[in-house]
Amino acid sequence: MAEFTMELSDEQKEVRDWLHGFAADVIRPAAAEWDEREETPWPVIQEAAKVGIYSLDFYAQQYFDPTGLGIPMAMEELFWGDAGIALSIVGTGLAAVGVLANGTEEQIGTWIPQMYGDANDVKVAAFCSSEPDAGSDVAAMRTRAVYDEAKDEWVLNGTKTWATNGGIAGVHVVVAVVDAELGSKGHASFIIPPATPGLSQGQKFKKHGIRASHTAEVILDNVRVPGSCLLGGKEKLDARLARAREKVRKGGERVKNAAMATFEASRPAVGAMAVGTARAAYEVALEYAQTREQFGRPIIDNQGVAFQLADMRTSIDAARLLVWRASWMAINGKPFTAAEGSMSKLFASETAKKVTAQAIQILGGNGYTREYPVERMHRDSAIYTIFEGTSEIQRLVIARTLAGMPIR
């Protein structure tokens, strides 16, 4: 087990500086254009693939960093560049992690390379879980997967929503209900190969922020996939369902808590994204306050502005420390006895919204225009308090954990 530290190793610093350079030289110059176009920034993704950032190998190296800091460090730097473009770069990782976590070696070797493509022909993948009536309430999921034993095929029907890369992806990973009586434990994940009949893109959402990231509905209409597309295989699924039924019979709350622990472990990465956006806005505001003069002196000399910057920096550093703590705990198997994963996501998300708003205030009228990036950063920051569990859900998880109550 790695000791908790706030000091990055030389190797980690080298990776951080490499990512920062890519964010500064490639992502930032393209940010305003792709935000206006509201399209997937394929040229930027291709550049990321050429240098090795858009690849499974890179994210695997960061994910298995024994300090737990690889992923939050990478997320912070990329999202410092631009949230919309960064989400387009890292979005495929959601689907890849789904396969890595649940798939067989053969499935991992077959499908993950297809998710990324190569530097000359980049692909994206989509992870499809949320539904119109099942966001925070995952037990309300309606998409069904029914096994056709005669053909050894699964038939999927339903609608997914808020899917990053939904419809434009080659490979889709879809979570569906196979046993409705088991709630979230009755779910399974399926690979939908490229060009599978019955899968189509529904509504593409025109969003307030992160506009360079494609978000859409995915429609599944009698989608048939081979039995080999069930992640983990049917034998493993049948055994898991049998254990879940036994646990439900003895006490269903333990099943729900185990599921919640999985969500807890993924939330610090979103917190790191929020830290990156907040830090970017703070740096713009700091530079502006140091160079903008009013009444013959820089506006940072005014206590009202200086105190705002002090609060912004303090909140950003506090958010990063919460993210790092939760990330270290997760990689080292430390239990989140106080919902530390939700704590990090909650505080970092709220910090990003507050700091970006303060940055606009410091820039005044300039901050309200698209000539300066803080306007875009403020729009982008709104998503952090919504996806991967709203701030209200984070507070509920924390409160019920502290009270020793089951998390529903």
Side-chain angles (χ1 to χ4, degrees):
M1 181 180 70
E3 293 185 359
F4 179 72
T5 177
M6 292 182 289
E7 181 66 28
L8 298 176
S9 68
D10 289 342
E11 183 179 352
Q12 288 171 324
K13 289 177 182 177
E14 185 177 341
V15 173
R16 178 199 62 191
D17 293 345
W18 172 54
L19 290 169
H20 185 81
F22 183 84
D25 298 338
V26 180
I27 293 178
R28 278 208 169 175
E33 175 188 351
W34 292 100
D35 177 73
E36 290 286 346
R37 292 174 65 166
E38 299 191 52
E39 297 174 356
T40 300
W42 292 106
V44 183
I45 298 174
Q46 186 171 39
E47 287 299 312
K50 287 179 179 178
V51 300
I53 293 174
Y54 185 71
S55 70
L56 175 65
D57 288 345
F58 171 73
Y59 288 106
Q61 289 173 13
Q62 304 316 309
Y63 182 82
F64 291 111
D65 181 340
T67 69
L69 302 185
I71 288 295
M73 179 187 65
M75 294 300 109
E76 179 176 338
E77 293 304 327
L78 292 173
F79 281 74
W80 172 89
D82 177 69
I85 291 178
L87 192 56
S88 289
I89 293 173
V90 307
T92 293
L94 297 173
V97 167
V99 176
L100 281 171
N102 302 297
T104 64
E105 290 187 8
E106 182 179 357
Q107 288 170 331
I108 291 169
T110 299
W111 297 111
I112 291 184
Q114 294 188 47
M115 291 181 176
Y116 286 92
D118 57 49
N120 296 316
D121 184 23
V122 292
K123 306 292 185 182
V124 295
F127 182 75
C128 307
S129 179
S130 293
E131 298 185 1
D133 296 318
S136 299
D137 184 9
V138 294
M141 189 177 293
R142 295 181 179 178
T143 297
R144 295 291 190 267
V146 177
Y147 185 57
D148 183 343
E149 189 171 0
K151 295 184 177 180
D152 185 26
E153 291 180 340
W154 288 90
V155 185
L156 287 81
N157 283 281
T159 299
K160 294 297 182 178
T161 193
W162 309 121
T164 299
N165 297 331
I168 66 169
V171 176
H172 291 74
V173 177
V174 175
V175 182
V177 177
V178 294
D179 188 329
E181 294 182 357
L182 294 177
S184 62
K185 281 294 181 179
H187 297 173
S189 297
F190 298 85
I191 291 285
I192 311 298
T196 297
L199 185 146
S200 62
Q201 179 183 309
Q203 175 187 6
K204 178 187 175 182
F205 296 104
K206 297 182 71 66
K207 304 186 299 294
H208 177 63
I210 55 168
R211 294 177 179 178
S213 174
H214 177 98
T215 310
E217 290 181 331
V218 174
I219 312 300
L220 301 146
D221 182 11
N222 286 324
V223 171
R224 284 183 169 267
V225 296
S228 60
C229 287
L230 166 65
L231 288 179
K234 193 167 188 305
E235 183 177 343
K236 183 178 178 180
L237 173 65
D238 289 342
R240 177 169 63 80
L241 293 177
R243 291 194 301 270
R245 292 184 188 108
E246 181 64 17
K247 286 184 178 181
V248 168
R249 187 180 66 80
K250 292 181 177 180
E253 295 300 348
R254 287 197 296 274
V255 173
K256 292 173 183 174
N257 285 334
M260 187 55 66
T262 301
F263 291 122
E264 273 288 280
S266 69
R267 283 171 176 158
V270 180
M273 298 174 187
V275 170
T277 300
R279 189 184 111 213
Y282 159 76
E283 290 176 2
V284 172
L286 176 62
E287 181 180 5
Y288 187 87
Q290 291 171 327
T291 57
R292 172 70 167 175
E293 291 191 0
Q294 290 288 282
F295 306 105
R297 60 179 183 175
I299 62 173
I300 198 171
D301 288 352
N302 297 313
Q303 197 174 73
V305 173
F307 279 14
Q308 281 196 78
L309 289 163
D311 287 343
M312 292 159 75
R313 176 60 184 268
T314 300
S315 295
I316 291 167
D317 282 13
R320 183 184 296 109
L321 289 174
L322 285 171
V323 167
W324 282 18
R325 179 184 70 168
S327 300
W328 174 82
M329 292 176 69
I331 199 69
N332 287 288
K334 296 286 187 180
F336 287 158
T337 56
E340 288 87 350
S342 283
M343 279 187 186
S344 69
K345 197 268 185 183
L346 170 65
F347 190 82
S349 298
E350 296 291 342
T351 292
K353 285 187 69 174
K354 182 177 180 181
V355 165
T356 54
Q358 288 175 306
I360 289 177
Q361 192 67 26
I362 290 171
L363 270 66
N366 285 329
Y368 197 65
T369 70
R370 296 187 184 181
E371 296 300 314
Y372 288 79
V374 291
E375 175 271 340
R376 184 180 68 253
M377 293 168 184
H378 184 52
R379 287 189 284 106
D380 291 342
S381 71
I383 193 60
Y384 299 127
T385 61
I386 297 172
F387 71 178
E388 196 73 16
T390 65
S391 286
E392 291 74 22
I393 288 294
Q394 309 307 320
R395 291 186 175 97
L396 176 65
V397 170
I398 296 166
R400 295 184 75 89
T401 301
L402 296 177
M405 301 171 66
I407 301 170
R408 295 183 171 86

